[in-house]
Each structure stands twice: as structure tokens, then as C-alpha cells.
Amino acid sequence: MPSLINIRRRIRSVNNTQQITKAMKMVSAAKLHHARDRALASRPYAGMMTQVLSDLAAAAGGIEDPGDLPLLQVREEKRIQLIVVTSDRGLAGAFNANLLRASERFIEDHPKADIHVESIGRKARDYFARRSVPISGEHVGIIEKPRYEDAKAIAAKMIGLYSRQEIDAVYIIGNEFKSVMNSNLTIRRILPIALPEGGSQIDFIYEEPAGELLKALLPRYVEISIYRAMLESVSAEHAARMTAMDAATRNAGEMSERLTLHFHHARQSAITTELIEIVSGAAALS
Amino acid sequence: MANTIHLKVATADRLLVDSEVSAVECPCTTGYIGVLPGHAPLVSTLGLGTLTYTPAGAGSQKNVTVTSGFIQVLDNSVRVLADSAEII
């Protein structure tokens, strides 16, 4: 049986931990709010971009000659580039573990392909550095506050590799924010681009040939896809951390309660023992 | 027929303008184009310059500086996708 001092020490330590987890939960809640704002702010652009692209694709009546537009060329997937979007920090429950497991599964599902990983976030880098998966690039420290320029740089790299035919497909895997309680794991192919459908068939006046327009639009579509994946991941990360820290705070509370009860029992029995000793000592004297 | 245009100007990280306007003038790579209600569908690329629009109803002209990007005109709505833009 642990001594009273030991129990008291445990209680204090659990309470301290609880304070930390509580603070982390608050911080995550605030950060989640900001992350949601940013994700919402990028939505109009992404929506309009999809709209314009689908209209253009429909108006062009399907692109007959993708030779001119390398980003639409579908090739056999022999060399795949996988972009893994994780967080820089841990303590977010199963957030990163689930994602890394899913990317591992993705790699297993494509045994014939030569897969390279581009990691966004420290967790992905650390994970793949310990495995025999070739890493083509790593981006640490950009996921905390995703900037469009960062997404653009990654997109430029992918587009370059793809148009030089050094890779045959680019997939991005990341968490997508659904609600505070849950997020979805999504794997998307971003290259070659699958043109969004459902555009209205309208005779547009083109100031430039449609091919030229597409040539300029497609890279931006890749950029915004990566940017959105990053924003979604950040939201999901903070939501996951919030949930995890909430659970941790609750567990710490329960533990502290149990320990306090234990402490009282121990104290009471110590007093009782002492009393019996005194009483029996007095009885022996008389 | 509606006599206003719905103008939306967005960059990747925010929506700058989302309002009913009566006229838009914007800097395309081929030169400035003016858009009034009832304009034919059009798609073009944007150059560096100042986009000017007149809010519907009373109101003075407003300017937005845009760098490169795209513009789509369709059914009295103008969508501007700018790489970067700033209201001035």
C-alpha cells in the first residue's frame, strides 16, 4: 500500500496533467476556429475554379488531343507520387496513425508501382524516414499555417515531374474535416487531372484559344487542390487534438477523484490504527 | 431582364467582392473589356491592372487591383479568379 505522501504526490501530478490537457484543448478550439475560417475563405475560389473548368471542358466537347495538355494525359501508373499530409505535432489521438496506416496500405495495394513519398508535416517525414520508402521531398513547418505559396511550390514540383514524364500519377492522402467529432480519410488523384463534369454547354467567346486557357487553368487547379487538402488537414488536426485532449481531461478528472477517495481511505485507516494503539496502550496501563 | 451583374472576385485565400453591380471593367491580357448586363458568355485571362466596378443602385466606382488570373462571364454573373487582388 502506497504511503499517504505518495498518493498525495500522484494526485498533484494528475491534476497538473489535467490542467495542461485542458489548456491544450482550449488552444486547439481556438486554432480550429481559425483553420475553419481559412478553409471557408478558400471555398469560393475553389468552387468557381471547378465551375469554370467544367464549363470549359464541356464547351470544348471533351479534349480530343491531350498531347497538347500534358496534365490531362493518362499513362499507365508505374511511378506514383504520393503526397502524405500529416501534422507537425502529435498528441492528436489517432489522427496521424490512421493516416500513415492508410498510406502504408496504399503502397501495399500498388505492389507493381514505384512509389515515392512527398511528405507534408513532420509526422509523415519521421515515419517514412524509418521505412524503406523513397522520399522525394519533405515539407516541415508549413502545415501549421498553410500558405498558398507553399501549395504552389509543391504543385510546381509535381507538375514539372509529371510533364517530364518522370512520374505517371500523383495522389494526395489527407484528413478531411467533417465535424469536430470525426474526419474523413481521403485519397485523391490530382494528376492526371480528371476534368470536373456537369458544366453547361455554352458557346463562350474565347479571347484566347480554349487550349491556351486550359493550359493556364490546369496548373492552378492542381495548386488549389493541394492547398485545400492542406487546409482541411489542419482543421481536422485541431479537431482531433481537441477531442483527444477533452478525453484526456475527463480521464484525468476521474483518476484524480479515485485517488482522492483512496487517499481518504488510507488516511482514515491510519487514524483508526493509531487510535486503537492509544486505547489499547491506556487499557494495558490501568 | 435583370439589369445588374453578380460580380465575384476571389483569390485562393479569400473572397474579395461578392455583390450586385451595374458595370464591370476589367484588365484582360488582350486589353480592357467592359461588361454590362446581358453580356455574352466569355472566358479570358486577366492581366495586371485595375478592375473597376460600379455597384448597383447608388454608389461610386470601386477599384480592385488584380494581377494575373481568369474571368468568366455567364448569365449576368462575372467570376474573377485572381492570383492576387487587393481592394483600393
Side-chain angles (χ1 to χ4, degrees):
Chain A
M1 177 142 177
S3 69
L4 284 180
I5 291 183
N6 276 337
I7 299 178
R8 195 178 280 157
R9 221 175 263 156
R10 281 286 313 272
I11 294 177
R12 205 176 305 140
S13 131
V14 168
N15 284 346
N16 284 343
T17 309
Q18 187 185 24
Q19 253 170 20
I20 295 170
T21 56
K22 205 188 239 169
M24 281 183 76
K25 181 192 154 196
M26 307 281 209
V27 170
S28 289
K31 282 190 174 167
L32 171 65
H33 190 74
H34 283 291
R36 277 331 283 156
D37 282 351
R38 291 164 74 99
L40 282 181
S42 81
R43 201 167 277 174
Y45 184 86
M48 278 153 73
M49 175 70 88
T50 310
Q51 184 76 46
V52 172
L53 255 184
S54 60
D55 282 352
L56 263 179
I63 314 296
E64 275 96 41
D65 181 26
D68 203 29
L69 298 158
L71 299 187
L72 295 176
Q73 263 171 16
V74 181
R75 296 191 286 265
E76 200 194 331
E77 296 182 356
K78 284 189 202 131
R79 291 149 304 173
I80 299 177
Q81 182 82 47
L82 181 66
I83 307 179
V84 182
V85 191
T86 57
S87 65
D88 274 349
R89 290 155 196 263
L91 289 181
F95 178 81
N96 288 311
N98 282 346
L99 192 113
L100 293 170
R101 209 175 306 132
S103 28
E104 196 72 48
R105 213 176 307 128
F106 178 88
I107 295 173
E108 278 165 20
D109 288 347
H110 297 75
K112 290 200 192 84
D114 178 16
I115 299 182
H116 288 246
V117 169
E118 184 91 7
S119 62
I120 302 181
R122 182 172 288 125
K123 293 287 165 185
R125 184 196 66 177
D126 293 353
Y127 181 84
F128 287 107
R130 279 186 268 114
R131 277 165 181 73
S132 56
V133 180
I135 296 179
S136 56
E138 52 183 58
H139 307 272
V140 172
I142 62 167
I143 194 72
E144 190 81 350
K145 277 206 167 73
R147 291 180 312 143
Y148 192 69
E149 291 82 65
D150 297 326
K152 203 169 175 170
I154 297 170
K157 183 175 168 186
M158 295 301 135
I159 291 167
L161 285 169
Y162 192 80
S163 18
R164 286 196 302 275
Q165 313 215 346
E166 283 172 35
I167 49 175
D168 302 316
V170 178
Y171 286 83
I172 191 162
I173 176 165
N175 279 298
E176 203 164 79
F177 177 86
K178 278 282 163 284
S179 73
V180 176
M181 292 309 284
N182 67 73
S183 58
N184 275 1
L185 253 174
T186 51
I187 303 180
R188 275 214 187 88
R189 193 187 72 190
I190 55 171
L191 278 174
I193 296 171
L195 284 175
E197 284 170 14
S200 30
Q201 212 117 36
I202 287 159
D203 268 335
F204 283 102
I205 303 172
Y206 294 114
E207 294 273 303
E208 289 91 11
E212 292 293 310
L213 276 170
L214 276 175
K215 213 180 260 177
L217 259 168
L218 292 177
R220 288 184 171 84
Y221 191 63
V222 178
E223 287 165 12
I224 192 81
S225 303
I226 295 179
Y227 184 57
R228 284 199 61 83
M230 284 162 66
L231 288 175
E232 286 297 331
S233 169
V234 181
S235 296
E237 177 199 340
H238 290 310
R241 183 166 299 124
M242 212 175 107
T243 319
M245 287 303 121
D246 187 45
T249 308
R250 209 161 336 110
N251 288 345
E254 273 168 28
M255 195 177 207
S256 160
E257 237 166 66
R258 220 175 37 238
L259 281 171
T260 312
L261 196 65
H262 197 65
F263 175 77
H264 287 315
H265 273 304
R267 190 179 59 101
Q268 190 58 59
S269 70
I271 293 172
T272 313
T273 319
E274 217 167 293
L275 268 179
I276 290 171
E277 274 165 12
I278 294 171
V279 170
S280 53
L285 279 181
S286 60
Chain B
M1 196 178 108
N3 51 5
T4 59
I5 312 170
H6 194 86
L7 173 71
K8 276 189 181 179
V9 181
T11 61
D13 42 21
R14 66 200 169 117
L15 181 64
L16 278 99
V17 182
D18 183 7
S19 59
E20 294 294 326
V21 301
S22 55
V24 185
E25 196 184 26
C26 80
C28 292
T29 36
T30 45
Y32 273 83
I33 61 165
V35 179
L36 291 172
H39 196 287
L42 169 134
V43 182
S44 181
T45 49
L46 285 180
L48 173 70
T50 310
L51 180 146
T52 311
Y53 66 94
T54 318
S60 56
Q61 281 197 342
K62 292 203 167 66
N63 296 315
V64 181
T65 304
V66 292
T67 56
S68 49
F70 299 89
I71 176 170
Q72 184 196 37
V73 183
L74 181 64
D75 296 337
N76 277 333
S77 81
V78 176
R79 301 189 176 109
V80 177
L81 300 165
D83 288 351
S84 61
E86 208 61 59
I87 296 173
I88 44 171

